Amino acid sequence: MDNKRNRLKRGLVLVLTLALVGNGMSHTMLSALAKENEPEVTDVQEDLNEPVTDQPEAEGEPEGADAGQSKTEAEVTSGNTKENEEDKEEPGTENKAGEDKEAEDPGKASEQEEVKVIGDILDLGGTETSAETISLFSLAADGTVALTAGNHEKWIDRIDIPAYAKTLYNTMAEGVDNDGVKDIFIDDQYYSEANAQKIDENKYNVIPITNMTGDQASVNKEFQEIGKYVRAVYDAFDRDFPEVFWLTGENRIIYTGSGRVDASGNVIYECQVYFILKGYTQKFDVRRAEYQSASAVKGDIAERNKMVQEISGGASAGSVFDKVTYFNEWLTTRSEERRVGKECRSRWS
């Protein structure tokens, strides 16, 4: 019992020493205390490393003495006595399971109670430059996209569209120039599942278009309107870049968002709209099946450029009239060859 008391005493001395360090005790005094208790430090460390067992109290030992001693040590070490804890707690600040906090702002807790997630996907169909269902003037089958005033060389400049739609067009245009910078319709990195975004439990490679804010009815209405602009933008892109041969012309957009129910039961959603490049769970790809790799696209781009050089080489000399005549004869000959070939295949098949 004497050994146990001595160990506790030495432990208390060490704890008090640590506490007094913070109160500015001099280094000399600390050294003296440490030296005085130095032979017993090993015993204290060994005691801390021993497993805790329930030992019966020695006969005559005051009940609860160890517990009281440990409590004193803990209070000195942490600096938190019962009195300090009482000082920290001001009357009337008890939370009572959050009742007082809720009472301050009744609507605040309701806003955190329920989160609603919404989303939808819209198939915009395919694009064909010569499609009869698409107006050559409005670029939209239902004529909802307004025209701009004046005459314009590019199709994109002929339609009146919001800023986000023009940004999407510029992204598409940059994505096909094969310059190694943001070639989203060519490079494999834009069609990698590792770079896919999880939307509505599915994975997609996407291009951000714009954001929407509002209740569910207004969000759904705006999403349909965005779809019409995206359709018109892609149609304009298709006409302004006829050299792009590896895309299907199929367009899909998707949106996803979430909102919180307020105290009145209303929900305002914050949503993001995306143009889909590739879908994984729902299989989709804007590229044709034979061009779903950068190497396939770039290989045929190189072949196309080589053919253009060969064709244009025959018209390098002469007047403008001579060049036009040359191209006309070249196209007429090739068209006739294709017609005859198709007819022959039809007869012998």
Side-chain angles (χ1 to χ4, degrees), residues 281-293:
T281 308
Q282 296 183 359
K283 300 296 182 182
F284 175 76
D285 202 309
V286 293
R287 303 165 299 174
R288 297 183 185 276
E290 64 270 32
Y291 293 115
Q292 293 186 5
S293 71

Side-chain angles (χ1 to χ4, degrees), residues 21-38:
V21 170
N23 294 328
M25 175 175 279
S26 69
H27 184 271
T28 303
M29 294 174 67
L30 291 176
S31 300
L33 282 171
K35 186 173 181 181
E36 181 182 346
N37 292 277
E38 186 175 358

Side-chain angles (χ1 to χ4, degrees), residues 130-309:
S130 59
E132 294 180 359
T133 58
I134 299 176
S135 167
L136 296 179
F137 298 100
S138 69
L139 296 180
D142 57 3
T144 55
V145 179
L147 298 176
T148 56
N151 299 318
H152 305 276
E153 177 185 357
K154 293 183 177 180
W155 285 94
I156 191 62
D157 296 328
R158 303 179 190 184
I159 51 177
D160 187 11
I161 55 177
Y164 70 78
K166 184 60 181 294
T167 299
L168 177 62
Y169 173 89
N170 292 336
T171 302
M172 292 177 175
E174 174 63 35
V176 297
D177 60 7
N178 196 28
D179 64 350
V181 179
K182 296 181 180 179
D183 292 333
I184 61 169
F185 285 143
I186 300 176
D187 289 344
D188 293 330
Q189 62 177 312
Y190 300 104
Y191 301 88
S192 167
E193 188 170 1
N195 296 328
Q197 185 169 336
K198 190 173 182 180
I199 302 174
D200 193 24
E201 302 304 320
N202 297 309
K203 285 185 177 181
Y204 300 96
N205 296 120
V206 295
I207 304 173
I209 299 177
T210 188
N211 298 324
M212 303 184 296
T213 302
D215 59 26
Q216 188 164 1
S218 63
V219 163
N220 288 337
K221 181 180 179 181
E222 185 176 358
F223 184 56
Q224 295 296 321
E225 180 180 304
I226 292 171
K228 292 175 181 178
Y229 283 121
V230 172
R231 170 80 275 165
V233 163
Y234 191 91
D235 290 343
F237 163 77
D238 177 72
R239 289 161 172 77
D240 287 338
F241 294 88
E243 69 274 19
V244 176
F245 55 83
W246 60 91
L247 301 178
T248 65
E250 297 289 331
N251 290 189
R252 294 181 186 180
I253 61 174
I254 190 172
Y255 88 87
T256 183
S258 62
R260 292 189 180 276
V261 182
D262 62 18
S264 303
N266 300 318
V267 185
I268 300 299
Y269 293 95
E270 298 287 339
C271 305
Q272 300 77 43
V273 185
Y274 303 96
F275 181 92
I276 300 177
L277 295 173
K278 183 177 180 179
Y280 294 87
T281 308
Q282 296 183 359
K283 300 296 182 182
F284 175 76
D285 202 309
V286 293
R287 303 165 299 174
R288 297 183 185 276
E290 64 270 32
Y291 293 115
Q292 293 186 5
S293 71
S295 59
V297 175
K298 293 181 178 182
D300 277 9
I301 287 177
E303 185 65 23
R304 178 202 64 192
N305 293 342
K306 180 182 177 182
M307 293 176 66
V308 169
Q309 290 298 323

